Amino acid sequence: MIQAAIESLGGWTWWILGLVLLGVEVLAPGFFFLWFGVAALIIGVSAVTVSWPWQMQILGFAVLSVVAALAGRRFFGYRDAPSSDPHLNLRTARLHGRTFTLTEPIAEGSGRIRIDDSVWRVSGPDTPAGARIRIVGADGALLLVEPEAPLNHD
């Protein structure tokens, strides 16, 4: 039945398949179905202009699909371009090196700091509230800090 439909439509079957695949590409993310749609349209053009058996058309479609997908990936694939903001989604990395005023004292190695509208846990040497501290690293969401100026232990 499918073979009869393909033979009755001839090369137009490939045009229909190509347009359906391009329509699926609009709904699906990425460039995956685009190349199959392009391959089907090329086979459709060749099947309308040159009479060749449907088995050869399917083989040509398979080969052309693979070639188009590989070429598309080669020329339009993801590039490893350097980011203009490499710490965009790394909030703790964005804070590294900045100085802030300590909101709560660091006692027994643990304290809190307010940065913008967030309160962060900090770890470092015991420091009184109101002291200036510098963020030197992070352990997950815990900020590692050190006093901006050396502490006087009189």
Side-chain angles (χ1 to χ4, degrees), residues 101-107 125-133 147 151:
T101 303
L102 194 58
T103 306
E104 295 179 16
I106 298 176
D126 289 355
T127 310
R132 298 287 293 171
I133 56 166
L151 293 175

Side-chain angles (χ1 to χ4, degrees), residues 24-140:
V24 169
E25 178 62 37
V26 171
L27 301 174
F31 282 121
F32 186 70
F33 291 102
L34 174 70
W35 309 116
F36 294 139
V38 168
L41 290 174
I42 292 171
I43 294 296
V45 168
S46 69
V48 168
T49 57
V50 177
S51 177
W52 50 321
W54 65 270
Q55 296 91 342
M56 291 300 294
Q57 293 175 19
I58 290 175
L59 181 64
F61 171 71
V63 170
L64 194 55
S65 293
V66 170
V67 168
L70 291 175
R73 183 179 174 117
R74 168 90 169 122
F75 294 111
F76 299 107
Y78 293 108
R79 305 268 192 254
D80 288 335
S83 172
S84 62
D85 191 0
H87 299 300
L88 178 64
N89 292 321
L90 304 171
R91 292 187 65 195
T92 56
R94 292 178 77 101
L95 298 173
H96 190 272
R98 293 180 58 189
T99 58
F100 297 97
T101 303
L102 194 58
T103 306
E104 295 179 16
I106 298 176
E108 298 179 11
S110 181
R112 293 186 186 275
I113 186 173
R114 177 171 288 282
I115 300 174
D116 298 327
D117 62 349
S118 301
V119 176
W120 292 78
R121 291 183 322 126
V122 294
S123 177
D126 289 355
T127 310
R132 298 287 293 171
I133 56 166
R134 180 184 342 276
I135 298 173
V136 294
D139 183 15

